[in-house]
Amino acid sequence: GQSLEQPSEVTAVEGAIVQINCTYQTSGFYGLSWYQQHDGGAPTFLSYNGLDGLEETGRFSSFLSRSDSYGYLLLQELQMKDSASYFCAAPTGRRALTFGSGTRLQVQP
Amino acid sequence: SQTIHQWPATLVQPVGSPLSLECTVEGTSNPNLYWYRQAAGRGLQLLFYSVGIGQISSEVPQNLSASRPQDRQFILSSKKLLLSDSGFYLCAWTPETHSGNTIYFGEGSWLTVV
């Protein structure tokens, strides 16, 4: 099975950079994804890493190190609208995704 | 383009009453379909997934059940709700041949059992 761990809360100020970490334990590994969920809404896809290294999508980047079973989501130039919960997720190999417990990001002015 | 809809968006049900949440996907064929549940302030728990009509896999033993009567329709049901069934229920889909990395969620259904 899959187990993903991430911090429960992170606080940062507008314009800053924040990193949300995710460590995982898996019986097989097929990549790490990141999702954003605003309060009351559904999660939406942000980024995916299938191989080691950094993937950049605008202000968001995601990094993966398979040898360390570790990844992170990096958010730059934080905006108030980035306040949300962020989930790392990994496929179970049975066509479903297992999600971490989520990190609540609070962006302060 | 593909769309996913689920309903109702919000419902309040008494303990012991039945439940039916419905989800449909448009614009694709033979999708993989999922039901997730999210307790308040918590992560997403996979409840059921389906790779085809009538094919349901259950991830967590509970008093819920799922059915897939048509290719793009997925239904979550319960005969008798428990207080612990309260939560945010999310239907989701992935393409038939997806690599397991991107999943698309419906708008969600808030269930409060009283």
Side-chain angles (χ1 to χ4, degrees), chain A residues 44-98:
Chain A
T44 56
F45 173 78
L46 285 178
S47 185
Y48 165 72
N49 295 78
L51 301 174
D52 290 352
L54 193 68
E55 291 287 336
E56 297 181 74
T57 309
R59 294 187 297 114
F60 294 177
S61 303
S62 58
F63 172 82
L64 176 66
S65 169
R66 287 175 294 173
S67 60
D68 296 322
S69 297
Y70 164 75
Y72 66 72
L73 179 69
L74 191 73
L75 297 84
Q76 302 182 70
E77 301 173 19
L78 279 175
Q79 302 175 10
M80 296 299 291
K81 67 179 182 178
D82 297 328
S83 293
S85 293
Y86 293 84
F87 296 87
C88 56
T92 63
R94 294 171 294 175
R95 309 194 198 190
L97 279 179
T98 296

Side-chain angles (χ1 to χ4, degrees), chain A residues 33 35 37 42 48 91 95 97, chain B residues 34 36 38 49 100-103 106:
Chain A
S33 303
Y35 288 76
Q37 184 182 30
Y48 165 72
R95 309 194 198 190
L97 279 179
Chain B
Y34 310 86
Y36 283 86
Q38 185 176 33
Y49 72 96
N101 306 310
T102 307
I103 192 168

Side-chain angles (χ1 to χ4, degrees), chain B residues 14-76:
Chain B
V15 169
S17 65
L19 170 73
S20 181
L21 300 178
E22 190 166 339
C23 170
T24 59
V25 180
E26 298 295 332
T28 187
S29 296
N30 203 30
N32 302 311
L33 296 173
Y34 310 86
W35 280 109
Y36 283 86
R37 176 171 62 196
Q38 185 176 33
R42 302 289 297 277
L44 293 97
Q45 178 188 34
L46 178 64
L47 301 176
F48 301 95
Y49 72 96
S50 171
V51 300
I53 296 175
Q55 301 178 60
I56 310 293
S57 296
S58 175
E59 292 294 306
V60 181
Q62 59 225 332
N63 68 321
L64 300 172
S65 62
S67 62
R68 185 170 177 173
Q70 298 181 43
D71 181 44
R72 292 169 294 180
Q73 183 185 27
F74 206 23
I75 298 171
L76 182 70

Side-chain angles (χ1 to χ4, degrees), chain A residues 36-39 81-86 103-106:
Chain A
Q36 179 191 59
Q37 184 182 30
H38 285 100
D39 285 347
K81 67 179 182 178
D82 297 328
S83 293
S85 293
Y86 293 84
T103 298
R104 187 170 183 84
L105 170 63
Q106 283 196 309

